[in-house]
Amino acid sequence: MNRNYFVLFLFFLLYINLNAVEIYPQNIFIDHYALIPPLGKIKSIATSINKIFALSDNYLLIFDKNNLELLRSTYFNQDIFIVAYDQFYDELWITSVNAVIRYNLHLGSIREYQFTERIERLGIGPEKIYISALGKFALDRLTGKLEQVSIFPDNIRWFKGFDENELRKNKFLSPYYYWDDIRETNEPFYKYNITAFYDDGMDLYVGTDKYGLLKYNKISLEKQRIIYGPLTAAGQKLKKIGNRYYFISAYGISSYDVGVKKSWQYFRLKAQPYDLMILNDELIASYGNQLVKITGNVTMPITEFHNTVLNVSLDEFNIYVGTDNGMYKILKETNEPIAFGPDRYPVYIIFPSHDQLYVGGELATYRYDYETNKWFSIINRGTKDVCEINNMLYFLTTDNQLIQYSSTADLSLIKNDTLPIILPYFNIYDIDTDGKFLYCATASGINYFDPERQLYNPVYNLPRIKYNFVAVTDEDIIAVGDINIYRLPLQYRD
């Protein structure tokens, strides 16, 4: 009998662990990174005296009520649906698939109470939390005891999911959807539906599906819009130009200037571009086999190739285009591509540097000398990314290894096999530099390479997971994983 009880206990623990809710960051005092939430579907909104709370996809977002700045984002590993603010204890109550979650605003910690029925409303009372589901329930805050009740008290404050009937009482919100400004999209009349609505007495808050959060003054009806993240967190390609980084995805291009608060910008596109560059403050992007210039909702073709464009780059005089069958150059004053390159294999990266042009192909890496107009094969491996630190180049090869190469090497020594140095680390998927260190997105976290000491150093203040991209700005490390986008201030790197 005792053995049977023990087995049942083990099954109970397994069930609890499988259905437990986890959040990230797990501890706001120890975990110094922040999550960058995508511009998702807002499901529920609540407010306190000085904060706004919104559930966007599976993120809890906390905004400053006065300046609308995003203060904190927390990711839940389960679907979450309703958020309720507990004014008696200054806490949040959140419903998920299998639980009612108590979220402590001061500690960033949670406590969950198992509840498997579909919850329609949450009520906040002085002593208990009330749940309206298939039945009526009351949850004691102090003991955690859940009991069924016959009626609900009158003096409770209710929070519920989206109610279209309540929304339509506000006629000024008609036609009850939004569309992008003409400068933000190739599809200016695409409708973004209202998916959440909350009236806190002073203001109206409107949540949308991929359009952001809006705040209306109830007297003047003045509207303020919050764009709090990129168009999506999935399937990104990350590219840094200056101190602004760009997320390229199937939804379009999102960009953010690290040094400017609330500076998220985006541009929705009809199809996913593969690469982009900025020329004369204009956006140049590649679609399939086309190179186009995008201005507002107008897309103007620059030129067309017989093959798919993989990357674009430029120097003082030329635009360079790498395709899956060789590379081309285009004089900036013309639109005519000229075949240019050492072979007809795919070209993954084109990197202008000083008086040399470095090109990463499928089977080898080359450099072109501007003065002699000659090509040289420098590495017998393909390359997909390049960074430069103090006249030293770092090539990320197509088999995810790192090679160090002197950019000031004598051309006569190129054939010397000892010139390129393979650095001892595998499974590197992306690299970037702050001018002093080389940052690597790897299968086991973000590591930075110190050229002077020739050592890799783990960034312990980021989760030790697989990252696909990394970017470093003056203030932050941006790391893109399979699910989330992480931002860590450089002051916490070590």
Side-chain angles (χ1 to χ4, degrees):
M1 183 64 69
N2 290 337
R3 181 180 178 184
N4 290 336
Y5 279 126
F6 179 71
V7 171
L8 287 174
F9 178 71
L10 288 179
F11 273 114
F12 174 75
L13 288 180
L14 179 62
Y15 173 82
I16 293 296
N17 288 329
L18 289 176
N19 292 278
V21 178
E22 292 186 1
I23 60 172
Y24 306 92
Q26 295 180 341
N27 188 313
I28 60 175
F29 300 104
I30 297 175
D31 298 324
H32 298 292
Y33 66 85
L35 295 178
I36 300 177
L39 197 66
K41 179 181 178 180
I42 297 178
K43 306 173 188 176
S44 180
I45 305 169
T47 64
S48 66
I49 295 176
N50 54 13
K51 291 184 176 65
I52 307 167
F53 312 103
L55 302 187
S56 177
D57 293 339
N58 288 350
Y59 292 83
L60 166 65
L61 309 180
I62 303 177
F63 299 92
D64 186 292
K65 203 172 186 179
N66 298 311
N67 59 24
L68 305 183
E69 180 183 344
L70 179 61
L71 301 176
R72 189 191 308 172
S73 61
T74 303
Y75 177 77
F76 289 71
N77 71 334
Q78 288 190 13
D79 288 337
I80 48 179
F81 305 104
I82 300 173
V83 60
Y85 175 67
D86 186 346
Q87 70 271 26
F88 300 103
Y89 285 76
D90 193 26
E91 293 181 322
L92 296 180
W93 292 84
I94 299 169
T95 66
S96 75
V97 178
N98 298 303
V100 178
I101 304 165
R102 186 176 188 174
Y103 184 91
N104 188 299
L105 288 168
H106 304 284
L107 301 176
S109 61
I110 65 170
R111 181 177 180 182
E112 58 182 301
Y113 304 88
Q114 294 296 311
F115 194 90
T116 56
E117 292 185 21
R118 183 179 180 274
I119 298 174
E120 296 178 355
R121 297 185 299 167
L122 276 181
I124 306 298
E127 298 177 356
K128 297 181 180 181
I129 303 299
Y130 296 91
I131 302 171
S132 176
L134 292 177
K136 298 181 176 69
F137 301 88
L139 176 66
D140 190 292
R141 284 191 190 83
L142 299 179
T143 65
K145 182 181 179 181
L146 182 70
E147 60 181 357
Q148 196 159 5
V149 296
S150 56
I151 59 172
F152 291 124
D154 294 330
N155 61 336
I156 58 177
R157 185 181 179 190
W158 287 103
F159 296 83
K160 58 184 178 180
F162 180 54
D163 187 339
E164 191 169 329
N165 293 324
E166 288 292 322
L167 171 66
R168 293 187 182 277
K169 293 178 182 179
N170 297 273
K171 300 297 183 183
F172 73 93
L173 291 175
S174 177
Y176 307 108
Y177 57 79
Y178 298 91
W179 53 83
D180 282 319
D181 185 280
I182 198 170
R183 294 165 297 183
E184 296 178 333
T185 180
N186 279 159
E187 300 178 282
F189 302 111
Y190 187 90
K191 298 176 182 178
Y192 296 94
N193 294 323
I194 293 174
T195 54
F197 177 80
Y198 184 73
D199 183 345
D200 75 348
M202 295 291 292
D203 300 288
L204 296 175
Y205 296 89
V206 179
T208 68
D209 187 2
K210 297 181 175 62
Y211 189 80
L213 177 66
L214 299 109
K215 176 183 178 181
Y216 289 87
N217 182 288
K218 291 182 66 174
I219 299 175
S220 66
L221 301 184
E222 178 187 4
K223 178 179 69 176
Q224 294 175 278
R225 181 182 175 200
I226 310 172
I227 300 173
Y228 47 81
L231 293 171
T232 179
Q236 303 278 7
K237 178 177 181 180
L238 181 59
K239 186 165 186 174
K240 186 180 72 173
I241 302 176
N243 206 42
R244 179 170 285 273
Y245 51 88
Y246 295 81
F247 297 89
I248 306 172
S249 72
Y251 291 95
I253 298 167
S254 312
S255 66
Y256 184 75
D257 190 326
V258 175
V260 182
K261 292 183 178 179
K262 296 190 295 184
S263 69
W264 275 104
Q265 296 177 2
Y266 63 76
F267 191 83
R268 300 189 207 259
L269 297 167
K270 295 179 181 179
Q272 179 172 357
Y274 196 88
D275 201 5
L276 64 85
M277 63 183 178
I278 306 298
L279 177 61
N280 299 327
D281 295 326
E282 293 182 311
L283 178 64
I284 309 295
S286 63
Y287 285 111
N289 66 337
Q290 287 188 326
L291 198 63
V292 300
K293 179 166 64 176
I294 303 172
T295 305
N297 67 333
V298 179
T299 302
M300 294 173 287
I302 296 176
T303 190
E304 188 172 311
F305 301 87
H306 295 295
N307 306 97
T308 301
V309 176
L310 301 180
N311 68 92
V312 292
S313 186
L314 74 162
D315 61 16
E316 185 178 355
F317 303 104
N318 301 307
I319 296 173
Y320 298 100
V321 180
T323 75
D324 61 1
N325 188 28
M327 69 175 283
Y328 299 83
K329 70 176 180 179
I330 305 170
L331 292 173
K332 288 183 178 179
E333 296 79 12
T334 72
N335 292 341
E336 187 65 32
I338 303 169
F340 181 72
D343 60 38
R344 306 304 300 175
Y345 290 101
V347 172
Y348 299 115
I349 186 71
I350 302 170
F351 183 78
S353 175
H354 309 302
D355 56 350
Q356 308 289 324
L357 182 70
Y358 296 89
V359 175
E362 174 77 15
L363 303 176
T365 303
Y366 308 89
R367 79 169 174 176
Y368 173 79
D369 184 76
Y370 288 111
E371 185 175 347
T372 63
N373 295 325
K374 291 183 179 180
W375 286 96
F376 300 87
S377 176
I378 57 173
I379 300 173
N380 60 352
R381 293 178 182 224
T383 296
K384 59 183 180 180
D385 204 357
V386 184
C387 286
E388 184 173 15
I389 304 175
N390 297 328
N391 295 321
M392 192 68 71
L393 291 172
Y394 296 88
F395 294 93
L396 179 60
T397 65
T398 52
D399 57 354
N400 301 324
Q401 287 187 268
L402 202 58
I403 291 181
Q404 180 179 275
Y405 175 84
S406 173
S407 62
T408 58
D410 189 334
L411 293 178
S412 64
L413 300 177
I414 292 299
K415 294 182 180 180
N416 186 344
D417 292 335
T418 64
L419 192 57
I421 301 172
I422 299 177
L423 298 174
Y425 207 96
F426 298 92
N427 295 328
I428 300 174
Y429 303 110
D430 191 38
I431 56 175
D432 194 22
T433 181
D434 60 1
K436 183 178 180 181
F437 301 110
L438 186 74
Y439 293 80
C440 306
T442 78
S444 58
I446 300 295
N447 295 266
Y448 68 96
F449 178 75
D450 185 343
E452 291 187 4
R453 301 174 62 193
Q454 293 287 295
L455 291 175
Y456 290 95
N457 302 282
V459 178
Y460 289 110
N461 279 312
L462 282 170
R464 302 290 287 170
I465 61 173
K466 175 181 177 289
Y467 293 100
N468 302 311
F469 301 102
V470 62
V472 186
T473 65
D474 292 342
E475 298 180 4
D476 295 327
I477 301 172
I478 309 299
V480 181
D482 289 333
I483 299 175
N484 294 313
I485 303 172
Y486 301 80
R487 178 171 60 208
L488 178 72
L490 277 173
Q491 67 187 84
Y492 297 115
R493 182 191 62 193
D494 299 317

